[in-house]
Amino acid sequence: MMQYAHEHEWNNHKIDSSELMSNSMPMRLDLDNQMREYLEGRDLNYGLAIYNGWYPGYYSGSRIIVPCFRSNGTLWWQGRALPDNHSTLRWDSPSGPRGDAIAIVRPKTVPNWCACVEGPMDALAMAELGYVGIAILGSNPSIAVIGHLAQVMTASDRILIPDSDAVDRWVHIQSCLVGFGINARICLVEAGYKDVASMPLEDRREFFG
C-alpha cells in the first residue's frame, strides 16, 4: 500500500489566508453546501473528498481546495472553481513552482490497485471504486512528475486511464514509467465520455469496479 509519511500533516498545513478562508460561519456553510452539491451533482463522493482532506475555500472565487504532495514532503494545492465562481480559471493554484506535486486520493478500504489519471476529480472517482487514485494534474507531465509517480505506484496492480483526447500522450507516460521500472497498462474510458469523472457512477463501476 502506498504511504506518505507526511500526509497526516495536511490538516495542519491548510492554506492559512484571509483571502482563501473566510471567518464568516454562514459563508463557510454556504461553501460546504456548494462543494457537496457540486460533487454529488457529478456522481462524486463528498464524504470521501473530505476524508482525503479536500475542503471549500475562497481563492479567486469559491473553490474546492485539493491537497497535492511533492516528493520532498512539501505541500501544494489546486482549487477547482465552484459553479458560482465566474473566474476564467476553472483550476487555480498558488503562485510559485509546482515542482513534482501530484494529488493522491485514497479509498477507505485497503486498496490492491492504483489508477493514474489526469485530474483530481478523476482520482476521486477511482478512489470510490477502491483504487488509490493518483492525479498527475495534466496530460503533459514533466519527467520529475513521472519519477514521483513511479515512486508512489507501489500497489500490486497499476492502470493508467487517459482522457479520451490524450491517449497518445499517455502512451508516452507509460513508456517513461517503464524506464523507472514500473509497468502499468492503459485502460480507456467508455466511448462518448471525456474522462472517468464524466462517466455516470454505474458506468464507472461496470468498467473499473
Side-chain angles (χ1 to χ4, degrees):
M1 178 176 175
M2 300 183 308
Q3 297 218 351
Y4 268 93
H6 61 276
E7 279 183 308
H8 69 281
E9 299 178 358
W10 169 249
N11 286 331
N12 295 325
H13 289 82
K14 288 181 177 179
I15 295 83
D16 183 15
S17 164
S18 59
E19 179 185 10
L20 179 62
M21 296 300 291
S22 169
N23 291 321
S24 166
M25 184 58 69
M27 181 175 285
R28 287 294 305 278
L29 291 174
D30 177 62
L31 290 176
D32 285 338
N33 288 335
Q34 286 189 57
M35 175 176 168
R36 180 188 293 274
E37 290 173 6
Y38 173 80
L39 293 175
E40 291 180 350
R42 296 188 62 182
D43 267 348
L44 297 169
N45 192 309
Y46 168 83
L48 188 58
I50 296 297
Y51 175 78
N52 278 276
W54 297 24
Y55 65 97
Y58 198 87
Y59 183 90
S60 299
S62 54
R63 296 182 181 275
I64 298 172
I65 306 302
V66 178
C68 304
F69 305 95
R70 300 186 181 99
S71 60
N72 64 5
T74 58
L75 300 170
W76 196 69
W77 57 267
Q78 277 203 326
R80 175 52 162 95
L82 286 165
D84 74 338
N85 186 336
H86 302 297
S87 170
T88 57
L89 294 176
R90 186 175 64 170
W91 287 93
D92 204 354
S93 55
S95 58
R98 166 194 167 184
D100 62 2
I102 55 179
I104 301 174
V105 185
R106 299 187 183 282
K108 293 183 179 180
T109 56
V110 178
N112 294 317
W113 289 73
C114 63
C116 180
V117 292
E118 183 169 323
M121 299 300 165
D122 304 312
L124 180 60
M126 293 307 295
E128 186 170 3
L129 302 181
Y131 294 75
V132 174
I134 307 169
I136 58 173
L137 312 178
S139 59
N140 290 300
S142 67
I143 288 297
V145 169
I146 295 174
H148 187 191
L149 176 62
Q151 291 176 27
V152 301
M153 291 189 81
T154 57
S156 57
D157 295 289
R158 315 170 187 97
I159 59 173
L160 311 177
I161 309 175
D163 282 12
S164 60
D165 60 355
V167 175
D168 57 337
R169 295 175 214 162
W170 282 78
V171 171
H172 173 70
I173 294 169
Q174 182 187 42
S175 66
C176 289
L177 283 170
V178 171
F180 285 97
I182 297 295
N183 293 309
R185 60 189 179 90
I186 291 178
C187 295
L188 302 181
V189 297
E190 184 178 3
Y193 294 100
K194 179 182 181 294
D195 53 30
V196 174
S198 66
M199 296 172 62
L201 178 57
E202 289 307 313
D203 287 8
R204 290 180 216 141
R205 285 175 175 156
E206 181 179 346
F207 263 65
F208 305 112

